[in-house]
Amino acid sequence: MRLWCAAIFLAVCSIGAADRSDAPSVVTPIVCAPVAQSATGMGSTENVNGGDLNIFHPVSPPAYEIRELAWLVFGISAVIFVVVEGVLVWSIIRFRSRDEEAGTPAGEPVQVFGSNPVELAWTIIPCIIVFVLSLATVRTIREVELEAPPAGALEVDVIGHQWWWEFQLAGAESDTRVVTANELVVPVGRPIWLTLRSADVIHSWWVPRLAGKTDVIPNHVNHTWFQAESIGTYLGQCAEYCGTQHANMLLRVRVVTGDEFIAWQVAQSRPPVDSASGVAGKALFLQLACMNCHAIDGVSTGSFGPNLTHLMSRETIGAGVAPLNPKTLRMWVDDPQNLKEGCNMPSLKLDSAQLDAVVAYLLTLK
Amino acid sequence: MTLSHSHPTTPAEGTQTLGARLHGWAVTVDHKRLGILYVCFGLFFFVVAGIEAAIMRAQLAQAAGKVVDPATFNQLFTMHGTTMVFLVGMPILLGMGNYLIPLMVGARDMAFPRLNAFGLWLFVFGAGLLYYSYVGAQGLYGDSAAPDVGWFAYAPLTNKTFSRGNSTDYWILGIMVSGFGSITTAINLLTTILAMRCPGMTLMRMPLMGWMMLVVSVLVIIAIPVLTGAQIMLLLDRSLGMHFFDTQNGGSSILWQHLFWFFGHPEVYILILPAFGFISEVIPVFSRKVIFGYPLMVAATVSIGFISLGVWAHHMFAIGMPPALNAFFAASTFLIAVPTGIKIFNWIGTMVGGRIIFATPMLFATAFVAMFIFGGLTGVMLAVVPFTWQLSDSYFVVGHFHYVLFGGTVFGIFSGFFYWFPKATGRMLSERLGKWFFWLLFAGFNLTFFPMHISGILGMPRRIYMYQPDRGLELWNMLSSIGVIIQAIAIVIFIWNVVVSLRKGRAAGDDPWNAWTLEWSTKSPPPEWNFDQVPTVGSARPLWDAKNPSDPDSHHERTA
């Protein structure tokens, strides 16, 4: 019991300490690991999925509001916990039978059948506590759950697929549209209004440092929002079980400056540029089944898999299953099942030359 | 009332052939034998589900673990959850109620003995159907064998489009059939409690366990048919091309969630109330004090039953409900903390001023209270809607409900098991092994499930077959996995204890704990007819009255 209490105490302290220091935490490297650069099983590649997803490290108003409420709730619960467990432990120690030590068993203790004032007290006090909690809850619900986009918000359509994310947002000019996957790029300081839809089963949008989760439900439109206060990459992942590769439906939100965002928007709005190295691969892309599922502006219109128009601008492949580089790209095209077992893209059984050509073409999609 | 100990001799089982004995168990309609069968099947599936959990923890001991493939892992958590809820919790709790209620209310058997046997064998058949999926559900497309849609089987993942083959059909049919069994048992318990109490036993003189099982029976009768109905709709979707939950054709996936959780949340109370009942019997006996505030305990139990029917959507805070609905379900969920708190305070109030004897049943009962306080408080946190927006479907939730359903229900079951084992078998379980079992399970349990709260806060969703390295999750998951090893050792000691004590345990006598309720007035094990003479009672503690004739409880009965 004592060990257990100590463990709780330490854990709460460690999360608390990490939370209260605004600087990158050195107090508790385990609770709040910095973005690590260690190599993983992908050969020479770095781990692009390490980082801080602690709900107590918000960088956006909804997550910030929730943290404040969470501290209130933790505080009240901790007091109740200490008091009630304290009384329990005290009664265990104080009223433990000591007959064996005394040698003579005493008679039965005084039988107390109850006490109306005492029972009334422990009915009414919890009522008051939960009333306070209800008020705090309703207040935060109203602050976080918006009915309409905040003023000046950037609107993004999010579509959940088994097992990747599609993002659609306005392009550089009014009639263009940027379609990308798994990695959302947004400007810092501007509210982002997300419209959530699903192409197949239920998924859930969860980037803990930006906002709480909102389910992504087929045949039902949901909204959520965030407003990142500092530049950086914020990680998350699908939080509703959605089938075989639920674990590898990862999310990245790259928060950049306003200027960088506009530059990104312009680059993403451009059609792909043909280059000599991609000619053979492009022909294969159109001959084989690739084009049925993948869209490339001006080339194909498939919509079952991610849009590849600017594939190489992304940091990862397979919804975060590996960092994106020529080596992992080749592994993926060769047989996606090696990297992401059970995903919906089959191996097309390309020979080595075909593989080289297709990869060379994809590498031109910057 | 009579405390007669002279029973006519029954034909000794030992003189029968093995075949005759097995036949006797197969065709029995005796509530005690059926109860024992329920508990045995339940404990068997407890071990099965534990092995499934252990494989998952082996996979998750390290980041990006490779012990099993993703499809297998998804089957494991689906089967673990389904098994623990439907094939462990329900049969053991209803089975112990089945064994104990007639004895506690002074009846000779349940109201409908044949229906009782029918219910047991339906449960066994349903369980067999579910597990047969591992070999039989390969299906036309060679898809997954066992069900892999999660224990709450959210639509449209269960749709034919996303769940090919027929593993999901086995999930539907197995649970549906065992659900029919639960409904028959609930009807039986309800009738027995309402109509077959012995002379003198008014409802307010019933052991608290009787009240708990009364409320549980009502909840089963209300909740399970909703699940069955939803499952039939799903079956029609899958096999006859209907579109209730088929979102590709205008169906609603949220409808499934409402129907499932309208069953699912009362189900949580179906799983915890009987355990409340067990420890409401154990704590007074081992504190040597009458239960504190009996009438308020009854009121709290009944109000938990009512409120539990109005909280289901707190499982759905992330689906984007309007603020008013979110606030309503938060408030109703907070409200249920009040009667639950009353129970905890009354148990502690019973212990205060007592002379507490820490035999194994009491160790488990005390740990139950301690763990349930923790699980209850994280439950209150999860009623705070915005907090749940962060932590629903994370490991924080996994930690929370294991504190309630393992620290609560399973500890309660073991408390009751050690308490009533002498009654059912005539032999005591070893106290020495019992204490080893308790302390190892207690330590292992906390080591496994406490770190899960931290994993959740660090952003780990549940139901993932692997987690990413360098997110601070490695240590906490390793601790959780080490805890499983300790729990496994504890369970081995428990099984050893049962096996050895059945053969060589100390003879229990009729009333080894010096207890106060009617089941201790008859022989251990009780004869087929339970009581030679139907007893007559004058209070909620008839044996206290008999043992302390100068100060019977009837002098103190409160009419509050």
Side-chain angles (χ1 to χ4, degrees), chain A residues 4 31 47 49 51 85 95 97 99 107-108 111 113 122 145 206 208 213 215 219 222 237 239-241 248, chain B residues 148 251 253 288 290 293 318-319 321 346 353 355-356 370 389-390 392-393 446 457-458 463 465 470-471 541:
Chain A
W4 183 68
V31 173
N47 176 14
N49 290 321
E85 298 277 7
F95 297 106
S97 167
D99 287 350
E108 302 285 16
Q111 302 293 304
F113 286 79
W122 65 46
E145 195 174 2
W206 190 30
K213 60 179 69 66
D215 288 350
N219 220 359
N222 269 339
Q237 66 188 91
E240 182 67 75
Y241 175 62
N248 279 312
Chain B
D148 60 354
S253 65
R288 307 309 305 157
V290 67
I319 68 161
M321 283 189 293
N346 279 359
R355 239 181 49 234
I356 307 170
W389 285 334
Q390 281 286 18
S392 85
D393 271 312
N446 280 296
I457 285 170
L458 296 177
R463 298 177 161 180
Y465 76 90
D470 302 319
R471 288 184 175 184
R541 294 194 298 170

Side-chain angles (χ1 to χ4, degrees), chain A residues 1 4 7-8 11 14-15 30-34 36-38 40 47 49-56 63 66 69-70 73-74 77-78 80-81 84-85 87-88 90-92 95-100 105-116 118-120 122-123 126-127 130 133-134 137-138 140-142 144-145 147 162 199-202 204 206-209 211-215 217-220 222 235-248 250-251 320 340-341, chain B residues 69-71 74 77 148-150 152 154-157 162 246-254 257 287-294 296 318-323 326-327 330-331 334-335 337-338 342 344-346 348-349 351-358 366 369-371 373-374 377 380-381 383-394 396 403 439 442 446 450 454 456-466 468-472 475-476 514 516 541 544 548 553 556 558 560:
Chain A
M1 175 71 70
W4 183 68
I8 292 174
S14 61
I15 293 168
I30 294 161
V31 173
C32 157
Q37 303 292 323
S38 65
T40 63
N47 176 14
N49 290 321
D52 181 8
L53 284 79
N54 191 333
I55 67 161
F56 284 102
I66 294 174
L69 181 63
V73 173
F74 266 124
S77 302
I80 298 173
F81 180 80
V84 181
E85 298 277 7
V87 174
L88 179 65
W90 169 76
S91 59
I92 289 170
F95 297 106
R96 192 190 171 114
S97 167
R98 289 178 174 81
D99 287 350
E100 290 126 34
E108 302 285 16
V110 179
Q111 302 293 304
V112 182
F113 286 79
S115 156
N116 286 341
V118 171
E119 291 170 43
L120 203 60
W122 65 46
T123 307
C127 286
V130 300
L133 281 172
S134 298
T137 300
V138 170
T140 310
I141 290 176
R142 294 184 64 85
V144 174
E145 195 174 2
E147 303 270 336
Q162 276 181 328
D200 37 48
V201 301
I202 304 179
S204 192
W206 190 30
V207 184
R209 297 182 67 191
K213 60 179 69 66
T214 307
D215 288 350
I217 303 173
N219 220 359
H220 177 93
N222 269 339
L235 303 173
Q237 66 188 91
C238 175
E240 182 67 75
Y241 175 62
C242 55
T244 316
Q245 275 293 349
H246 167 54
N248 279 312
L250 307 183
L251 269 167
K340 195 169 179 176
E341 193 179 343
Chain B
D69 60 43
N74 297 341
F77 70 68
D148 60 354
V149 289
F152 39 79
Y154 271 2
L157 192 61
F162 306 106
D246 178 4
T247 48
Q248 315 273 318
N249 289 294
S252 167
S253 65
I254 292 175
Q257 297 193 20
S287 304
R288 307 309 305 157
K289 263 184 73 204
V290 67
I291 189 85
F292 190 92
Y294 178 102
L296 190 63
I319 68 161
M321 283 189 293
N326 278 332
F334 284 131
L335 199 60
V338 175
I342 288 172
I344 288 168
F345 299 138
N346 279 359
I348 298 176
M351 292 167 69
V352 170
R355 239 181 49 234
I356 307 170
I357 301 156
F358 282 102
T366 313
V369 177
M371 298 300 96
I373 293 168
F374 189 83
L377 283 171
V380 170
M381 292 179 194
V384 177
V385 182
F387 188 73
T388 300
W389 285 334
Q390 281 286 18
L391 289 177
S392 85
D393 271 312
S394 78
F396 189 91
Y403 266 80
W439 285 109
F442 184 76
N446 280 296
F450 183 77
I454 299 168
I457 285 170
L458 296 177
M460 181 169 170
R462 68 194 284 200
R463 298 177 161 180
I464 51 175
Y465 76 90
M466 59 160 284
Q468 301 296 331
D470 302 319
R471 288 184 175 184
L475 171 71
W476 306 109
N514 193 8
W516 300 314
R541 294 194 298 170
W544 168 274
N548 301 276
D553 275 5
H556 303 277
R558 301 199 314 163

Side-chain angles (χ1 to χ4, degrees), chain B residues 15-39:
Chain B
T15 60
Q16 295 174 315
T17 63
L18 180 67
R21 284 161 68 185
L22 285 177
H23 180 258
W25 282 92
V27 301
T28 186
V29 293
D30 177 0
H31 74 99
K32 296 180 290 299
R33 287 186 153 204
L34 292 170
I36 290 170
L37 285 172
Y38 268 119
V39 173

Side-chain angles (χ1 to χ4, degrees), chain B residues 77-131:
Chain B
F77 70 68
T78 302
M79 292 300 274
H80 171 77
T82 307
T83 306
M84 285 304 292
V85 170
F86 294 102
L87 309 186
V88 179
M90 298 279 279
I92 295 185
L93 296 167
L94 291 178
M96 286 174 79
N98 213 322
Y99 188 98
L100 292 165
I101 288 297
L103 287 166
M104 292 178 107
V105 302
R108 294 210 185 279
D109 204 318
M110 295 279 271
F112 311 111
R114 281 168 205 275
L115 188 67
N116 204 4
F118 180 64
L120 170 84
W121 295 109
L122 273 183
F123 153 69
V124 174
F125 181 62
L129 207 52
L130 182 67
Y131 268 86

Side-chain angles (χ1 to χ4, degrees), chain B residues 169-362:
Chain B
D169 302 308
Y170 276 93
W171 180 85
I172 296 171
L173 292 170
I175 301 311
M176 194 191 291
V177 169
S178 83
F180 291 145
S182 303
I183 294 170
T184 62
T185 306
I187 291 170
N188 221 336
L189 281 168
L190 189 63
T191 316
T192 309
I193 292 167
L194 290 180
M196 295 181 65
R197 279 166 289 125
C198 66
M201 186 176 282
T202 60
L203 277 176
M204 293 304 279
R205 283 179 185 165
M206 193 163 56
L208 274 175
M209 163 96 175
W211 273 104
M212 309 283 176
M213 296 309 297
L214 178 68
V215 173
V216 166
S217 305
V218 173
L219 289 178
V220 168
I221 291 168
I222 294 173
I224 301 267
V226 178
L227 174 67
T228 306
Q231 287 181 318
I232 290 171
M233 290 158 77
L234 182 58
L235 206 57
L236 292 175
D237 270 14
R238 287 179 58 83
S239 45
L240 294 182
M242 296 200 177
H243 308 301
F244 294 109
F245 310 117
D246 178 4
T247 48
Q248 315 273 318
N249 289 294
S252 167
S253 65
I254 292 175
L255 174 65
W256 170 268
Q257 297 193 20
H258 278 296
L259 292 173
F260 187 89
W261 291 118
F262 187 83
F263 146 80
H265 205 80
E267 172 69 15
V268 174
Y269 289 90
I270 291 168
L271 290 173
I272 196 70
L273 280 172
F276 283 177
F278 301 160
I279 73 154
S280 297
E281 300 304 321
V282 168
I283 287 181
V285 167
F286 290 87
S287 304
R288 307 309 305 157
K289 263 184 73 204
V290 67
I291 189 85
F292 190 92
Y294 178 102
L296 190 63
M297 285 297 257
V298 172
T301 307
V302 175
S303 46
I304 285 176
F306 273 108
I307 303 171
S308 75
L309 293 168
V311 299
W312 76 91
H314 70 208
H315 296 268
M316 301 158 58
F317 281 151
I319 68 161
M321 283 189 293
L325 266 183
N326 278 332
F328 172 83
F329 281 103
S332 65
T333 308
F334 284 131
L335 199 60
I336 210 163
V338 175
T340 313
I342 288 172
K343 282 180 182 294
I344 288 168
F345 299 138
N346 279 359
W347 289 322
I348 298 176
T350 307
M351 292 167 69
V352 170
R355 239 181 49 234
I356 307 170
I357 301 156
F358 282 102
T360 311
M362 187 60 180

